Amino acid sequence: MAMTMTKAMSKKAPAGSASTLQSMMKQIAMQMRNSQQNSSTQLPRIDGLTINPTAVNFENGQTLEISFNLNQMAVVTAAIYNSAGNKVKTLLNGIHLNAGVNKITWTGTDDSGNKVAAGNYVIQITPADMISGKTGETVSAQFSVGSVNNTADTTAPQITGLTVTPSTIPLTGANVTISFEISENAKVTVQVLNSSNQVIATPLNNADKSAGTVTATWDGKDYSMYPTMIMNLQAGTYTIKVTAVDASGNSNTATFQITAA
């Protein structure tokens, strides 16, 4: 029996098709490289950094308002530095922010929660790419922190209208009322001194008193030997001495003389 065999004829690729494919692959690779290069140059950028006010007083309730614009979504870090270059406050620590205008409010506390001192400060803000982590340009701005009262208080509290009733005291004692006015809040001490300038009684001892009328009472006795004994007065002249000290340490004194007979 005769058998007929046929050969499978393989198809040959058209001439030049291999080189065309290689050319296409090269073009695709080049486009991918260009795309990667372009994406790497599109780093996040901060524009229009503004600070308001540029001289802020946190002590009277002001806050520092910080505003800036991002050209694209980014991971942002922001911090405050003092004039010595030390970081005092981290405002943003790798926070994802959207493109567009972003705002930060600072109330003037450092990273320990304490109010910062008066002086000059700098804010620095750095954006980073969300995928590659590459950072864009850091932008900064200066501002100052002031105090509500930059002038030291050197004015002592005024003591006026000092009166003592009665002004003549029996030797056996009496209810004595000491009254006066102070011009500001102060710590007040009222003392009774004998003719030797020895303190024999202290009706008020470093007491916190508000501005206005202050009253103290004394029973007309000599406490210089207290607690061993409480003595009657000796005949003679005595001095009522009032001292007022304000919060800044400024002090003032007023005196009034009385008689024991």
Side-chain angles (χ1 to χ4, degrees):
M1 181 175 180
M3 180 178 294
T4 302
M5 298 183 64
T6 59
K7 289 185 178 180
M9 301 295 293
S10 61
K11 294 183 178 180
K12 294 180 67 178
S17 62
S19 61
T20 301
L21 181 60
Q22 290 177 353
S23 177
M24 291 175 61
M25 294 297 292
K26 287 181 179 179
Q27 289 179 2
I28 293 172
M30 184 177 295
Q31 289 175 358
M32 291 179 65
R33 284 197 299 270
N34 290 338
S35 176
Q36 290 174 351
Q37 290 174 356
N38 289 336
S39 64
S40 66
T41 59
Q42 293 298 314
L43 292 175
R45 184 182 69 253
I46 292 175
D47 297 313
L49 173 60
T50 60
I51 293 178
N52 184 44
T54 54
V56 59
N57 278 328
F58 294 117
E59 293 179 14
N60 64 5
Q62 283 188 323
T63 57
L64 190 72
E65 303 299 328
I66 304 150
S67 178
F68 58 94
N69 185 76
L70 277 172
N71 68 325
Q72 63 187 58
M73 292 182 66
V75 179
V76 180
T77 299
I80 304 289
Y81 296 83
N82 61 20
S83 57
N86 299 317
K87 183 168 68 173
V88 297
K89 180 68 174 182
T90 300
L91 298 174
L92 299 175
N93 188 14
I95 301 300
H96 290 71
L97 296 180
N98 291 325
V101 176
N102 290 272
K103 296 182 179 181
I104 309 171
T105 298
W106 184 40
T107 58
T109 57
D110 61 19
D111 283 331
S112 298
N114 302 313
K115 288 288 186 182
V116 298
N120 295 319
Y121 292 82
V122 174
I123 179 171
Q124 292 186 355
I125 306 177
T126 303
D129 186 81
M130 297 184 66
I131 298 175
S132 68
K134 292 183 178 180
T135 58
E137 181 181 355
T138 297
V139 297
S140 62
Q142 294 184 343
F143 62 95
S144 64
V145 174
S147 174
V148 173
N149 183 9
N150 291 320
T151 304
D153 176 14
T154 58
T155 303
Q158 299 300 304
I159 304 170
T160 57
L162 175 58
T163 59
V164 180
T165 306
S167 58
T168 300
I169 305 170
L171 300 181
T172 55
N175 291 324
V176 179
T177 300
I178 304 160
S179 181
F180 52 92
E181 301 275 336
I182 56 174
S183 60
E184 60 179 295
N185 297 349
K187 290 186 178 295
V188 176
T189 299
V190 177
Q191 297 171 313
V192 182
L193 292 79
N194 61 20
S195 58
S196 299
N197 211 34
Q198 178 187 17
V199 177
I200 65 166
T202 306
L204 283 179
N205 186 16
N206 205 35
D208 288 312
K209 296 296 179 180
S210 300
T213 302
V214 178
T215 301
T217 58
W218 171 48
D219 62 3
K221 297 289 186 177
D222 183 341
Y223 287 83
S224 59
M225 298 294 291
Y226 183 84
T228 303
M229 64 177 68
I230 299 173
M231 300 178 292
N232 290 334
L233 298 180
Q234 300 293 316
T237 301
Y238 293 81
T239 300
I240 305 296
K241 179 181 178 181
V242 177
T243 303
V245 183
D246 67 15
S248 297
N250 304 304
S251 65
N252 208 350
T253 300
T255 58
F256 190 98
Q257 287 192 332
I258 59 173
T259 301

